Amino acid sequence: MAEFGFNEHHQNEAINYMRFARSKRIIRLKTIDSCFEDLKDSRLVEETFTVDEVRDMLDGLQLVVRGEVETELINTAHTNVLLLRQLFSQAEKFYLRLQTDISELENRELLEQVAEFENTEFKNPNKTNQEISKPKLAPLNEGGVSELLNKEISRLQEENNKLKGRLRTLETQAMGALDEKTRAERALKDLQKVKGEQQMATHSQEITSLEDTVAALQEDYQKSLSVNAASQRDLQDNLVSAKHDLLRVQEQLSLAEKELDRKFQQTSAYRNMKEILTKKNEQIKDIRKRLSNSNVSILDTSLMNEPFASHNKTQNGG
């Protein structure tokens, strides 16, 4: 059956099945022949028969032959199903899905090739007997290729388990590295936060010190007003100088704040410190506003007292 593309093993399997089908066909034909012989021996004993008698004999023969043929066809169909069952079972062990084309079963050209092959294969009786004497091949179960396939599947499963274990190890290492990175980032944020708080505390202390200085100068200035105008002018000069110092310090503080903002904007803790800086800036603005109002009040008081001081000098001189 080389024209069908079969290898030697499959060709032998096809020959075995054809031999089986041929033997079953021969047995069934012999059975049909015996039906005719029985009719001849049992009914054809007279020389003449009526039409009804001939019809009755043919009807009986028809029933017998029909039963035999039907039985053979049913048995052949069931036998083919069992054959397909063996093939499909072996294919499923290899995780294969076989497909059949029913239309090819009525291909006259292929049927003629099969008939020609059968005639050629079974023409020589000696060859037929020789083929019958050959030992039957063992069914494909757990040996041969199937065993190799099972070993390969086991090896792949073992390798897969190893890869899964390695993947779990890598995932654990990655999670550990991620936790260390998170802890380092958190520590960096805390350090930057503490550093920012320390800087803000330093600026707050400077502002408080300056406020205390201004308050002391204002108190001294108020005391000196009752003494003499000269000391009042000195105190006023000191107050102006202190105000200039305060403005200079405030300008330096503003520059420091801008520099601090610029540095914090370059860090990942900027967002967290932005709200705190905003609140501190609002407090500083309020302090500046109060200082400015206090200075205006002092200057207004000094301006109001200057005419009074001049008037006192004039009276004393007169």
Side-chain angles (χ1 to χ4, degrees):
M1 235 175 186
E3 58 270 25
F4 293 113
F6 287 178
N7 57 28
E8 183 178 0
H9 173 74
H10 289 161
Q11 180 171 328
N12 292 330
E13 292 295 322
I15 292 173
N16 292 333
Y17 177 74
M18 292 176 66
R19 183 180 297 108
F20 168 77
R22 183 182 179 89
S23 62
K24 299 293 289 185
R25 184 170 66 249
I26 292 174
I27 293 173
R28 193 57 58 184
L29 291 176
K30 288 181 179 180
T31 303
I32 294 175
D33 292 338
S34 64
C35 292
F36 282 91
E37 293 296 332
D38 292 340
L39 178 62
K40 294 177 182 180
D41 296 337
S42 61
R43 301 293 299 274
L44 299 181
V45 295
E46 300 179 3
E47 296 182 356
T48 58
F49 295 93
T50 63
V51 175
D52 294 334
E53 290 176 343
V54 174
R55 182 179 290 110
D56 182 55
M57 288 186 293
L58 293 177
D59 291 339
L61 180 62
Q62 179 183 2
L63 291 175
V64 175
V65 174
R66 178 184 176 88
E68 293 292 335
V69 173
E70 183 179 8
T71 302
E72 178 61 21
L73 292 175
I74 293 173
N75 185 65
T76 301
H78 293 173
T79 303
N80 291 333
V81 171
L82 293 179
L83 179 63
L84 291 175
R85 178 178 176 273
Q86 294 181 11
L87 296 177
F88 292 158
S89 298
Q90 294 181 17
E92 288 178 358
K93 292 182 179 180
F94 290 91
Y95 303 96
L96 300 177
R97 293 184 178 180
L98 301 182
Q99 294 180 349
T100 58
D101 188 359
I102 303 301
S103 62
E104 290 293 326
L105 300 179
E106 297 182 353
N107 190 325
R108 300 305 306 175
E109 182 179 356
L110 293 178
L111 290 174
E112 291 176 359
Q113 292 180 6
V114 174
E116 183 179 357
F117 174 78
E118 182 180 6
N119 294 330
T120 303
E121 187 68 25
F122 297 98
K123 187 189 319 183
N124 188 359
N126 295 329
K127 184 177 181 181
T128 303
N129 295 330
Q130 183 180 1
E131 293 293 338
I132 293 175
S133 62
K134 286 184 178 180
K136 296 183 178 180
L137 296 175
L140 184 61
N141 293 324
E142 296 300 326
V145 181
S146 179
E147 184 178 358
L148 294 177
L149 180 61
N150 292 331
K151 290 182 179 180
E152 182 66 16
I153 292 173
S154 300
R155 186 186 66 80
L156 292 176
Q157 290 177 348
E158 184 179 357
E159 185 177 355
N160 189 24
N161 293 331
K162 291 181 180 179
L163 292 176
K164 287 181 179 179
R166 184 178 179 185
L167 179 60
R168 286 192 295 268
T169 303
L170 292 177
E171 288 178 351
T172 303
Q173 294 176 356
M175 292 299 296
L178 183 61
D179 292 339
E180 291 180 359
K181 180 182 178 182
T182 303
R183 288 195 295 269
E185 291 179 350
R186 189 181 297 110
L188 179 60
K189 289 180 180 179
D190 294 339
L191 180 61
Q192 291 175 347
K193 183 177 179 180
V194 171
K195 183 178 180 181
E197 291 177 352
Q198 291 177 353
Q199 291 178 352
M200 292 300 300
T202 302
H203 293 319
S204 299
Q205 290 176 358
E206 291 178 356
I207 292 173
T208 303
S209 178
L210 290 173
E211 288 177 350
D212 294 339
T213 302
V214 172
L217 290 174
Q218 287 179 350
E219 185 177 358
D220 293 339
Y221 180 71
Q222 291 293 337
K223 291 180 180 179
S224 64
L225 287 177
S226 60
V227 179
N228 53 48
S231 61
Q232 183 180 7
R233 285 195 296 270
D234 293 337
L235 289 174
Q236 185 176 359
D237 293 338
N238 292 331
L239 179 63
V240 172
S241 177
K243 183 178 180 181
H244 290 167
D245 293 338
L246 177 62
L247 293 175
R248 184 172 59 257
V249 172
Q250 289 176 346
E251 182 178 2
Q252 293 176 357
L253 178 61
S254 177
L255 294 175
E257 290 175 351
K258 291 181 180 180
E259 180 66 19
L260 181 61
D261 289 338
R262 186 182 66 81
K263 291 181 178 180
F264 268 84
Q265 289 176 0
Q266 296 176 354
T267 62
S268 60
Y270 173 73
R271 295 181 180 176
N272 296 329
M273 296 298 299
K274 186 175 181 180
E275 184 176 355
I276 299 174
L277 289 176
T278 302
K279 292 181 180 179
K280 293 295 182 180
N281 289 331
E282 290 178 357
Q283 294 177 359
I284 293 172
K285 289 181 181 179
D286 185 61
I287 293 172
R288 290 174 181 172
K289 184 176 181 181
R290 286 186 292 172
L291 289 175
S292 178
N293 291 334
S294 299
N295 292 333
V296 172
S297 298
I298 294 172
L299 291 176
D300 291 339
T301 302
S302 64
L303 291 175
M304 290 176 64
N305 291 330
E306 280 184 359
F308 179 75
S310 300
H311 179 69
N312 291 333
K313 287 182 179 181
T314 304
Q315 288 183 354
N316 294 328

